[in-house]
Amino acid sequence: MMNAPTSAAKAEPGIREAQDSSEFDRFGIAGVSKGLLKVLETTRKVSKSNSSVLITGESGTGKELIARAIHRNSSRCDGPMVVINCGAIPGELLESELFGHEKGAFTGAVRSRIGRFEIADRGTIFLDEIGDMSPDLQVKLLRAIQERRFERVGGTTTIEVDIRVISATNKDLQTAMIKGLFREDLYYRLNVIPIHILPLRERKEDIFSLVDHFQSILVQREPGYKVKIFSENARQTMLRYDWPGNIRELENLIERVSVLVEDDTIELHDLPDHIAETSSQSIPPSVAAVFNNEIGFNEAVDLYQRSLILYALNQTGWVKAKAAEILKINRTTLVEKIKKMNIEPENDNPIF
Ligand SMILES: Nc1ncnc2c1ncn2[C@@H]1O[C@H](COP(=O)(O)OP(=O)(O)OP(=O)(O)O)[C@@H](O)[C@H]1O
Ligand SMILES: [Mg+2]
């Protein structure tokens, strides 16, 4: 009898490292989360079209990587993919960067120069950080995208190009539109197909696929690099951490520990302090102490009882009858425990 297809196979038709050119190639995009598979599925579909795509997501989530995958899986893959960071180039220069200029168009324009739109002919132009573009230039961009035609700065000849437009932003363009900073007509032109990439904290299932991926790159890049294992404690902490810098932060961490940790196993204390601290913030100290090999099970249970009692006593101003009521134990049992554990009022630092 034939096996029924697995749900994973159903969820990602054709999304794997490509065996032949007709299939969608992930080009090393790692991850297994539903959120990422949905992004890959849309990426696969849009690769076959020429529609404009707007990729949104926090910094470091992989927007450029997805843009490259669209280009490389498209029929334009033999053409250029031209990237322009609209946020990094001052407004006056950006127009000439995008559309080129003629000799003498402005002070310093000693010779004519072609712009990125022309370079991207028969390929893809990736307009990164589109949310930072000035409203003036947005008008010119809209026309160039709409008509696939433009003039160089200071020029009169109209140049026609065949390009696919992908743009990206980590800004909220809806809010920018309400504030009048981003043109609505341009937004709808760019956002024919929206792709939103979730932050890593909302797809933590991807963390260890990414770790494996970055380590496999190190294996290829650094001769003699031995793949490291993460201790259970380190793993739990990495799963608990929120990764504000997203995949880029994880990538940097893997590179850093690969250089600095010579052991085969990455322990909790090998992680940077701000990550390791997440461990003690959310694991109760009595539990953390066990995992840090400071105490054993019985001592941890004692520590927990002690914390509960101390907290109840402090809440009730040391009225033992009230504390016993909260804890749902007999007053005499409570008194015995206080005596046995030597709990005193000055120890008012509750730990759980
Ligand atoms: N799913 C993934 N698999 C493998 N590598 C990834 C993945 N997502 C992101 N990366 C890597 O993480 C880094 C950041 O990705 P990228 O530059 O595409 O992010 P971005 O969203 O464009 O960030 P920014 O907004 O800061 O420009 C890159 O080195 C990229 O290769
Ligand atoms: Mg980017």
Side-chain angles (χ1 to χ4, degrees):
M1 199 176 88
M2 292 233 322
N3 282 337
T6 64
S7 58
K10 266 192 241 158
E12 45 167 339
I15 295 172
R16 54 185 67 88
E17 301 302 323
Q19 306 296 315
D20 71 65
S21 58
S22 62
E23 255 182 288
F24 176 83
D25 194 329
R26 285 176 74 140
F27 286 109
I29 299 173
V32 292
S33 65
K34 277 212 179 93
L36 181 84
L37 292 179
K38 204 172 139 208
V39 163
L40 288 176
E41 181 54 7
T42 312
T43 305
R44 181 182 73 81
K45 289 182 191 156
V46 299
S47 300
K48 292 189 266 175
S49 79
N50 270 317
S51 305
S52 297
V53 180
L54 175 65
I55 308 174
T56 53
E58 289 179 13
S59 184
T61 45
K63 297 186 290 296
E64 184 161 345
L65 200 64
I66 292 294
R68 289 189 184 281
I70 294 174
H71 173 73
R72 294 168 80 178
N73 279 290
S74 75
S75 58
R76 299 172 173 270
C77 62
D78 293 327
M81 156 124 178
V82 175
V83 178
I84 180 155
N85 186 331
C86 305
I89 302 171
E92 328 77 73
L93 287 182
L94 188 56
E95 182 177 356
S96 136
E97 273 300 321
L98 288 171
F99 306 123
H101 61 249
E102 296 297 351
K103 185 176 166 182
F106 48 84
T107 333
V110 286
R111 57 179 70 93
S112 65
R113 189 171 168 230
I114 68 164
R116 309 284 176 104
F117 264 71
E118 269 176 84
I119 301 173
D121 193 24
R122 284 191 282 188
T124 304
I125 189 157
F126 177 49
L127 304 167
D128 204 0
E129 296 185 27
I130 188 77
D132 293 341
M133 185 177 277
S134 74
D136 279 354
L137 197 48
Q138 288 175 27
V139 182
K140 294 178 179 157
L141 177 68
L142 176 65
R143 181 192 161 225
I145 294 177
Q146 216 149 270
E147 299 175 11
R148 304 287 196 257
R149 279 197 290 192
F150 57 90
E151 288 88 38
R152 292 184 187 159
V153 179
T156 46
T157 318
T158 300
I159 297 163
E160 284 195 29
V161 282
D162 166 21
I163 49 170
R164 179 330 135 68
V165 180
I166 305 180
S167 41
T169 181
N170 54 23
K171 296 229 164 82
D172 180 2
L173 291 187
Q174 308 266 10
T175 311
M177 277 195 301
I178 293 166
K179 287 187 184 158
L181 299 171
F182 204 85
R183 293 182 64 96
E184 217 174 319
D185 43 13
L186 178 61
Y187 175 78
Y188 290 113
R189 182 54 68 170
L190 296 174
N191 194 28
V192 178
I193 315 251
I195 294 185
H196 179 67
I197 311 182
L198 291 174
L200 189 53
R201 66 179 171 282
E202 286 174 29
R203 50 181 173 110
K204 288 185 170 175
E205 312 90 288
D206 287 344
I207 291 176
F208 286 97
S209 312
L210 287 159
V211 168
D212 291 347
H213 169 74
F214 294 131
Q215 291 215 80
S216 67
I217 293 176
L218 287 169
V219 168
Q220 287 165 25
R221 207 180 70 189
E222 315 281 347
Y225 178 78
K226 260 187 84 186
V227 172
K228 303 200 186 295
I229 316 167
F230 288 75
S231 74
E232 188 50 32
N233 212 358
R235 287 176 80 90
Q236 292 303 327
T237 303
M238 286 166 74
L239 287 170
R240 208 170 295 119
Y241 181 61
D242 272 346
W243 303 100
N246 294 297
I247 324 278
R248 184 175 294 113
E249 183 181 5
L250 178 61
E251 186 176 16
N252 291 345
L253 171 79
I254 299 307
E255 173 143 9
R256 185 186 325 171
V257 294
S258 78
V259 173
L260 298 180
V261 182
E262 289 177 330
D263 264 15
D264 291 348
T265 306
I266 310 288
E267 303 286 351
L268 181 62
H269 61 253
D270 294 321
L271 300 178
D273 288 348
H274 66 282
I275 299 181
E277 271 160 19
T278 356
S279 156
S280 45
Q281 273 162 19
S282 29
I283 304 186
S286 49
V287 177
V290 173
F291 283 86
N292 288 334
N293 276 329
E294 289 159 16
I295 55 174
F297 179 83
N298 290 336
E299 281 167 284
V301 172
D302 285 349
L303 196 61
Y304 185 64
Q305 287 204 36
R306 193 185 171 83
S307 302
L308 270 181
I309 292 170
L310 201 52
Y311 193 77
L313 287 168
N314 285 334
Q315 287 292 304
T316 55
W318 278 75
V319 179
K320 295 181 186 106
K322 274 194 196 161
E325 210 177 295
I326 292 175
L327 296 169
K328 300 192 177 58
I329 55 175
N330 287 331
R331 187 182 170 286
T332 43
T333 315
L334 178 65
V335 171
E336 268 167 34
K337 284 186 184 288
I338 293 172
K339 224 170 139 191
K340 199 172 144 214
M341 292 183 181
N342 205 13
I343 297 174
E344 288 172 359
E346 57 271 24
N347 294 340
D348 63 350
N349 186 20
I351 39 178
F352 306 104

